[in-house]
């Protein structure tokens, strides 16, 4: 069964500041390509471009041209899930029911809508069940 990946998995794949997280993210994405076990929400691609091109202490993770090229690669390498009205409505309910931020609720709603049992993310509570979706922090053992 496929898992939904959060933006942080995509970002850590390229972030040389966190080598262990980079290794784990790379393995998740490589395995996801090999066995079609990863789904990427449209939201994560948009957030990826913003996150990796944002200057942090005068340095960005990727130049804009590189970030855009990698985003295009994601579109060919992974099944990308797109929002619809039902996903947005579920996200609104997720904000209220689980007290999630808008972006976390929107991420959760993709998984809930598409029947994905797992979200891979460090941004939500590890091993917490939200509706029918469990959050797994793949970096928990590296902390």
């Amino acid at each position: 069964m496929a898992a939904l990946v959060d933006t942080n998995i995509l970002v850590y794949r390229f972030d040389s500041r966190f080598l262990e997280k980079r290794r784990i993210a790379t393995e998740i994405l490589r395995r996801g390509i090999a066995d079609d076990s990863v789904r990427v929400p449209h939201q994560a691609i948009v957030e990826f471009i913003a996150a990796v091109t944002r200057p942090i202490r005068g340095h960005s993770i990727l130049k804009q041209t590189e970030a855009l090229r990698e985003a295009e690669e994601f579109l060919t390498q992974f099944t990308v899930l797109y929002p619809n009205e039902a996903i947005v409505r579920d996200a609104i309910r997720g904000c209220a029911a689980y007290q999630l931020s808008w972006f976390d609720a929107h991420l959760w709603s993709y998984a809930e809508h598409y029947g994905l049992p797992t979200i891979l993310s460090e941004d939500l509570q590890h091993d917490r069940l939200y509706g029918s979706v469990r959050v797994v922090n793949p970096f928990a053992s590296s902390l």
Side-chain angles (χ1 to χ4, degrees):
M1 183 64 71
L4 190 71
V5 294
D6 195 358
T7 307
N8 51 59
I9 306 294
L10 303 179
V11 170
Y12 281 133
R13 165 65 184 89
F14 298 94
D15 195 338
S16 60
R17 296 172 302 163
F18 305 98
L19 295 179
E20 181 62 9
K21 289 182 177 183
R22 185 176 186 171
R23 182 191 67 74
I24 292 167
T26 298
E27 176 57 29
I28 289 167
L29 296 174
R30 283 188 180 150
R31 189 173 55 244
I33 291 168
D35 59 15
D36 193 32
S37 62
V38 164
R39 300 291 180 267
V40 178
H42 162 264
Q43 166 185 329
I45 295 173
V46 173
E47 291 175 358
F48 166 81
I49 294 168
V52 299
T53 59
R54 181 180 309 121
I56 304 166
R57 293 184 212 105
H59 170 76
S60 58
I61 295 169
L62 294 175
K63 293 182 170 123
Q64 183 175 4
T65 54
E66 296 168 319
L68 296 172
R69 187 183 73 244
E70 293 301 335
E72 281 188 313
E73 288 293 325
F74 294 150
L75 294 172
T76 63
Q77 295 170 326
F78 302 101
T79 299
V80 177
L81 306 178
Y82 294 90
N84 59 34
E85 183 178 339
I87 289 172
V88 175
R89 287 183 182 281
D90 281 347
I92 292 167
R93 289 183 193 102
C95 279
Y98 301 118
Q99 300 299 296
L100 295 171
S101 73
W102 169 250
F103 293 105
D104 290 344
H106 198 243
L107 178 71
W108 163 79
S109 68
Y110 275 97
E112 188 75 28
H113 179 79
Y114 287 105
L116 302 172
T118 307
I119 295 174
L120 300 176
S121 176
E122 72 173 357
D123 293 340
L124 295 158
Q125 185 179 342
H126 176 66
D127 204 36
R128 166 86 190 266
L129 190 65
Y130 297 91
S132 64
V133 179
R134 185 164 307 279
V135 174
V136 173
N137 180 350
F139 309 113
S141 64
S142 68
L143 300 177

